[in-house]
Amino acid sequence: GVGAKAWLAGYSRDQEFQADDLGINAHTALLICSHHIVVDGMRAWILADDREFGRSPSRGIRLLPYYDAYTIAWQPRELMFPGPAAQQALPGGQAGPVPLLLVDGVVAGVWRQRKTARKLAITVEPFADLRPSELDELEGQVTRLGEIWDTPAELTLGRVG
């Protein structure tokens, strides 16, 4: 959306905003970017008509592939890549070249896969210990990847890099 274009173009509310540079008219830019909210102490903008949010935050385990759009576009990055995640999952500050383990919508590890004719080996390196319920859900994600590849999948917890 326009907010993302403005962010990527390096614009903010504190700088002169040239809507022409984004291929939109100033009226549209004002309507779209006119509402701000504060999330975890950081100012963010929302669409003018997007003021209702689900009551519960994202929950669960997900294995995101290389260059997943969700992680590439996420801003501000420090909310999605906290602490060790920024150091280990953003090589050179770049989101995308590392497949990611998400726990409750936040990067909590990295993973890799190795496929042979007989099996799909998935190695996951969580940045912190996972609860038993999270391990069960991770096992389910690995099983699903095996179904997609039509190959038995095997989970290993350990170093990826």
Side-chain angles (χ1 to χ4, degrees):
V2 173
K5 287 181 185 177
W7 181 273
L8 292 172
Y11 293 104
S12 76
R13 289 276 195 201
D14 300 325
Q15 298 171 328
E16 186 176 335
F17 182 82
Q18 298 293 323
D20 299 4
D21 295 342
L22 301 177
I24 60 173
N25 66 43
H27 182 270
T28 301
L30 181 62
L31 286 174
I32 292 175
C33 295
S34 61
H35 298 287
H36 79 271
I37 59 174
V38 176
V39 179
D40 290 343
M42 301 181 81
R43 188 174 180 170
W45 285 266
I46 61 172
L47 295 173
D49 62 348
D50 194 9
R51 295 186 198 188
E52 292 188 30
F53 301 97
R55 294 190 184 270
S56 61
S58 176
R59 297 281 179 232
I61 301 287
R62 296 289 178 268
L63 292 174
L64 299 184
Y66 293 100
Y67 296 99
D68 185 80
Y70 178 72
T71 55
I72 289 174
W74 185 273
Q75 294 294 335
R77 290 237 166 105
E78 53 271 11
L79 293 180
M80 184 171 197
F81 294 86
Q87 297 156 357
Q88 296 182 42
L90 290 172
Q94 168 86 27
V98 179
L100 302 171
L101 166 68
L102 278 145
V103 176
D104 298 338
V106 175
V107 174
V110 294
W111 66 281
R112 73 165 183 248
Q113 69 180 19
R114 304 256 190 243
K115 186 176 182 313
T116 66
R118 296 184 187 191
K119 75 175 182 178
L120 179 65
I122 305 288
T123 303
V124 177
E125 181 181 342
F127 300 145
D129 290 337
L130 298 175
R131 296 186 311 262
S133 62
E134 292 170 334
L135 286 170
D136 289 344
E137 195 170 350
L138 178 58
E139 192 67 59
Q141 291 287 301
V142 169
T143 298
R144 179 69 181 126
L145 284 173
E147 291 168 356
I148 291 167
W149 282 99
D150 195 27
T151 304
E154 176 183 287
L155 171 64
T156 302
L157 295 178
R159 298 271 312 150
V160 167

